[in-house]
Amino acid sequence: MSTADIPADRAPVRAARTKATTTQWISWIALAMMTTSSVASLRAAPTMAVYGLACVFLYLLPAVVFLLPTSLVSAELASGWEGGIYKWVSEGISKPAGFLAVWCQFAMTIFYYPSLLGFVASTLAYVFNPALASSGVWTAAVIIVVYWSGVWVSARGTKGVAGLASGGLIIGTLVPGVVLVLLGVVFLGQGNESAAPMSSDNLLPAWAGLSSLVLIVNNFLSYSGMEMNAVHVGSLKNPAKEFPKSMFLAMGLVLTIFILPALAIAWIVPAEELSLTAGVMQAFDAVFANFGWQWLTPIVGIMLVTASLGGMLTWLAGPSKGLLLISRQEGYLPPFLQKLNKNGVQQNILVVQGLVTTVIGLAYALIPDVSSAYWIFSVITTQVYLIMYLLMFVAAVQLRRKHPDHPRGYRAPMLVGMCGVGFAASLAALLVGFIPPSQFASGNAGVYFAVVGGGALGLGLVVPFLFYRFRKPSWRQPEPDEVIAS
């Protein structure tokens, strides 16, 4: 999330400070690596592995209609307007819309943490007892304990979290991903038959109505967050040429990291046996068993958990800090939620968010199928985040029309067309998310719609509307020096 969501009236101060220092240039390759590290993950691999070879198509389609427009459009916005998503949307549409955008950027994490930590719980189960991976009570306990531990760490203002997250890319994503793919190739090379058919007839997913395409919605969340990396466009020496190259390289790397491990899992684990939360560990356990190396399974589990925890700690502070800064300037949140602890951390926001996360986490103990709970929370996360992207695409078109001569370090080609494609794809993904996927055909569609709709629309629209409706002038508070400095 973007910690660059700072109030507009602070931008000149920040700009002045920036000019007083020497510009730190980065190469387009370095930016591609930064983008890859913030987007790529093995967590989504089991979700797409159920489609076998068709996962290639299901990853490429959202990359073209969502990842590419999001990357290039946010690059133009970041190079022309400081202040992140709030500044872009408030300037392009209105301040209320800007608050809605920054709220959705924060609120999606409320459902993101249970889904992320659901993956952590299932992965951690393979370190102790694989049977726990399907236990809702175990999953709920891990979510609650790990989240509150993360709040405790973040509230102390601990430094080095970013280093843990970047190290997690190598330790918990690249190394396990390469090992999984290589052993998968060896598995097939030994004459074992692929669990999923790999013929040309399987390039496209089987059509069983709209529900057969619902899992693609999860890929929009996999590709989200590109607006964060766009803020670095000003650090390139030649943004117009280097940023597109950087994004295309990042897209290639991200697609490789997403597609190959998903295929490796499809080779090893039959789709009907695949858990959406523990699928990665199922594949490792199966392939290690084939070579008599099952003692490595817990080690890989610890590596994957390390990457996820590093990512969680990074996300804990960022979105809530952006919401805090905007709320102090405009008075969007009550003073209780604006309070800082002695370390300058927005502890009250984290605690309230933690209470909601705890309630959501307990749903894992109540919903019989852990994979169903994981999927529902992932969809709600995506729905809320997509509201922000819809606003961003509209704001980008409006800013190009209102301020065509405003200085921009980078101008996206065919911006209106790309915004149209990105908006249509985001809206379609948001609407399709209300349809139960084919894997949930036996469930109650009405209950599914109510849970997803209530979670996404309630949290993404109703709650911010209430905050905005009942805001008071007294809620505006001056920003302490430690917040500005951070």
Side-chain angles (χ1 to χ4, degrees):
M1 291 298 187
S2 177
T3 54
D5 287 324
I6 59 173
D9 61 351
R10 294 290 174 190
V13 177
R14 187 161 216 162
R17 291 176 182 171
T18 303
K19 290 177 182 178
T21 61
T22 304
T23 301
Q24 298 295 318
W25 302 109
I26 60 174
S27 69
W28 64 273
I29 295 178
L31 180 57
M33 296 298 148
M34 292 169 60
T35 303
T36 303
S37 67
S38 66
V39 175
S41 169
L42 297 180
R43 190 165 63 93
T47 306
M48 287 298 109
V50 298
Y51 281 101
L53 189 59
C55 74
V56 178
F57 168 80
L58 294 175
Y59 271 122
L60 287 175
L61 180 61
V64 173
V65 301
F66 180 75
L67 176 61
L68 185 60
T70 299
S71 303
L72 300 185
V73 170
S74 59
E76 172 168 328
L77 295 173
S79 68
W81 288 268
E82 293 187 6
I85 190 67
Y86 175 78
K87 177 69 172 179
W88 306 342
V89 176
S90 62
E91 288 278 333
I93 305 176
S94 66
K95 282 191 174 183
F99 171 62
L100 175 59
V102 78
W103 169 264
C104 288
Q105 195 181 53
F106 159 76
M108 62 80 66
T109 63
I110 294 176
F111 288 96
Y112 170 76
Y113 296 131
S115 62
L116 171 66
L117 296 179
F119 169 78
V120 168
S122 297
T123 302
L124 205 56
Y126 278 80
V127 178
F128 302 106
N129 179 6
L132 292 173
S134 58
S135 169
V137 175
W138 161 263
T139 303
V142 171
I143 289 173
I144 294 169
V145 171
V146 174
Y147 178 84
W148 285 105
S149 299
V151 170
W152 180 79
V153 171
S154 298
R156 294 171 64 86
T158 303
K159 299 186 183 296
V161 171
L164 176 61
S166 16
L169 171 70
I170 298 174
I171 296 173
T173 300
L174 295 182
V175 172
V178 169
V179 170
L180 179 61
V181 173
L182 289 179
L183 292 182
V185 171
V186 174
F187 176 81
L188 294 180
Q190 290 181 329
N192 296 295
E193 186 177 351
S194 171
M198 291 287 138
S199 66
S200 58
D201 294 335
N202 305 108
L203 284 172
L204 297 177
W207 179 253
L210 287 176
S211 61
S212 63
L213 290 179
V214 172
L215 281 177
I216 199 172
V217 172
N218 201 49
N219 285 351
F220 281 72
L221 177 63
S222 299
Y223 291 135
S224 62
M226 296 302 296
E227 75 279 1
M228 293 187 296
N229 301 285
V231 301
H232 300 293
V233 69
S235 299
L236 297 172
K237 290 186 176 180
N238 188 349
K241 291 184 178 180
E242 293 181 339
F243 190 81
K245 291 198 307 185
S246 176
M247 287 302 100
F248 281 113
L249 175 59
M251 282 180 61
L253 293 173
V254 167
L255 287 172
T256 300
I257 293 173
F258 278 150
I259 291 173
L260 293 184
L263 286 176
I265 293 174
W267 297 335
I268 301 166
V269 184
E272 61 273 12
E273 299 176 10
L274 196 61
S275 164
L276 298 188
T277 53
V280 175
M281 294 307 299
Q282 283 180 318
F284 274 112
D285 196 48
V287 77
F288 285 151
N290 182 68
F291 294 98
W293 299 344
Q294 278 187 293
W295 59 272
L296 286 173
T297 302
I299 297 176
V300 171
I302 293 173
M303 294 168 69
L304 292 172
V305 167
T306 299
S308 296
L309 294 183
M312 186 199 78
L313 289 175
T314 302
W315 282 61
L316 263 178
S320 55
K321 176 61 71 71
L323 179 65
L324 172 76
L325 294 175
I326 300 306
S327 297
R328 294 184 76 91
Q329 179 198 9
E330 301 292 343
Y332 290 134
L333 296 180
F336 172 77
L337 293 177
Q338 298 184 31
K339 287 184 179 179
L340 304 175
N341 64 11
K342 63 181 181 180
N343 298 310
V345 176
Q346 57 282 10
Q347 182 171 294
N348 286 2
I349 291 181
L350 295 179
V351 169
V352 172
Q353 182 181 12
L355 294 175
V356 179
T357 300
T358 299
V359 173
I360 296 172
L362 290 175
Y364 275 96
L366 302 176
I367 298 177
D369 185 358
V370 172
S371 288
S372 297
Y374 175 84
W375 171 252
I376 288 171
F377 293 141
S378 295
V379 170
I380 293 175
T381 299
T382 306
Q383 305 286 72
V384 174
Y385 211 0
L386 286 172
I387 295 173
M388 185 212 75
Y389 282 112
L390 292 174
L391 294 170
M392 187 188 80
F393 287 125
V394 173
V397 174
Q398 289 294 94
L399 287 172
R400 179 71 76 89
R401 289 175 176 171
K402 291 179 181 178
H403 310 287
D405 300 322
H406 183 88
R408 298 164 170 84
Y410 171 78
R411 297 180 74 90
M414 300 180 295
L415 179 124
V416 175
M418 279 200 300
C419 286
V421 171
F423 184 93
S426 300
L427 182 60
L430 191 150
L431 296 177
V432 169
F434 291 108
I435 303 172
S438 54
Q439 284 80 358
F440 294 78
S442 59
N444 188 311
V447 172
Y448 181 91
F449 180 86
V451 172
V452 172
L457 300 181
L459 183 65
L461 295 177
V462 176
V463 174
F465 170 78
L466 293 176
F467 275 128
Y468 186 82
R469 173 68 177 79
F470 295 105
R471 73 193 188 286
K472 300 177 181 178
S474 60
W475 288 4
R476 295 185 180 183
Q477 298 187 27
E479 295 172 8
D481 292 339
E482 61 266 25
V483 175
I484 299 172
S486 65

